[in-house]
Amino acid sequence: MRERLIESRLTPNAISLTGFALNLAAAGLVVGRLFFLAGVAFIIGSVMDTLDGRYSRMSGKGTPFGAFLDSTLDRLEEGIVLTAVAAYFASRHNEVAVAAVVAAVLASLMVSYTRARAEALGVACRVGLATRPVRVVILSAGLVFARGASLGHFELLAPAVYVLAGLSIITVIQRIVYVRRQLRPATPGAAPTV
């Protein structure tokens, strides 16, 4: 099965684009207040995002552009779904939740940026609480257990957004502190070692 998949015409970029399409669908379902289905689409789309990199390495079909496309789509997907969530809270006049979504989007982008910038400086930066998989789990739980998602009388979307924003901000701080420590000269006046 694995060999047949590798020999197929399936490309990592096709997996990335499928994940992107599913996240667009998730955003549309949020707008339509179909939160459970939005959560399912978001989960499947996010799983596709983890599979594209693995498939790329496993099949040898990866390209530098494919890696770039994957990272770019990952940022877009999270932002698009969270934008739909912000629109939902805005329609309910919940300004605090809208502000938390904006903070979550900005901090999530900064989590990724700090890692990319650190790696450009030669520092492997995978530290922090709110890595991409953690953020996916938090937002997925919020969507699946949102009010009207037909899974009891839960309303976890707003709490999920608050947790997402808080942990993402903490993660940015963790990464800044970590990179600062890694780039600090060993002795006064010495050049930074990376």
Side-chain angles (χ1 to χ4, degrees), residues 34-191:
L34 299 169
F35 295 109
F36 181 77
L37 292 175
V40 171
F42 180 68
I43 291 166
I44 296 171
S46 298
V47 167
M48 300 291 277
D49 290 335
T50 61
L51 290 179
D52 56 6
R54 289 182 185 172
Y55 180 70
S56 174
R57 291 185 293 276
M58 184 178 71
S59 67
K61 295 179 182 178
T63 64
F65 174 75
F68 170 79
L69 180 66
D70 176 36
S71 296
T72 302
L73 292 179
D74 286 351
R75 305 294 78 76
L76 279 173
E77 290 161 2
E78 198 169 359
I80 288 167
V81 173
L82 284 170
T83 298
V85 171
Y88 163 72
F89 285 130
S91 73
R92 298 186 68 195
H93 308 289
N94 187 341
E95 287 109 10
V96 174
V98 172
V101 173
V102 172
V105 170
L106 179 59
S108 294
L109 289 172
M110 289 307 299
V111 166
S112 300
Y113 176 80
T114 51
R115 177 178 170 182
R117 190 68 185 106
E119 289 176 353
L121 294 170
V123 177
C125 186
R126 297 174 185 262
V127 300
L129 297 171
T131 58
R132 172 101 166 115
V134 171
R135 296 194 311 270
V136 166
V137 169
I138 293 168
L139 185 53
S140 297
L143 290 170
V144 170
F145 293 103
R147 177 181 289 217
S150 301
L151 290 178
H153 298 288
F154 299 105
E155 188 171 356
L156 297 185
L157 188 54
V161 167
Y162 300 143
V163 170
L164 184 63
L167 290 181
S168 297
I169 291 167
I170 290 168
T171 301
V172 171
I173 295 167
Q174 287 176 309
R175 290 187 172 186
I176 291 169
V177 170
Y178 175 79
V179 172
R180 173 69 183 114
R181 287 180 181 154
Q182 296 303 306
L183 295 177
R184 182 174 291 149
T187 57

Side-chain angles (χ1 to χ4, degrees), residues 1-30:
M1 176 69 177
R2 179 177 162 177
E3 291 77 18
R4 191 175 296 169
L5 184 62
I6 290 172
E7 292 170 7
S8 72
R9 293 184 181 183
L10 182 66
T11 65
N13 290 353
I15 298 173
S16 296
L17 291 169
T18 301
F20 181 66
L22 285 166
N23 278 278
L24 285 175
L29 290 164
V30 168

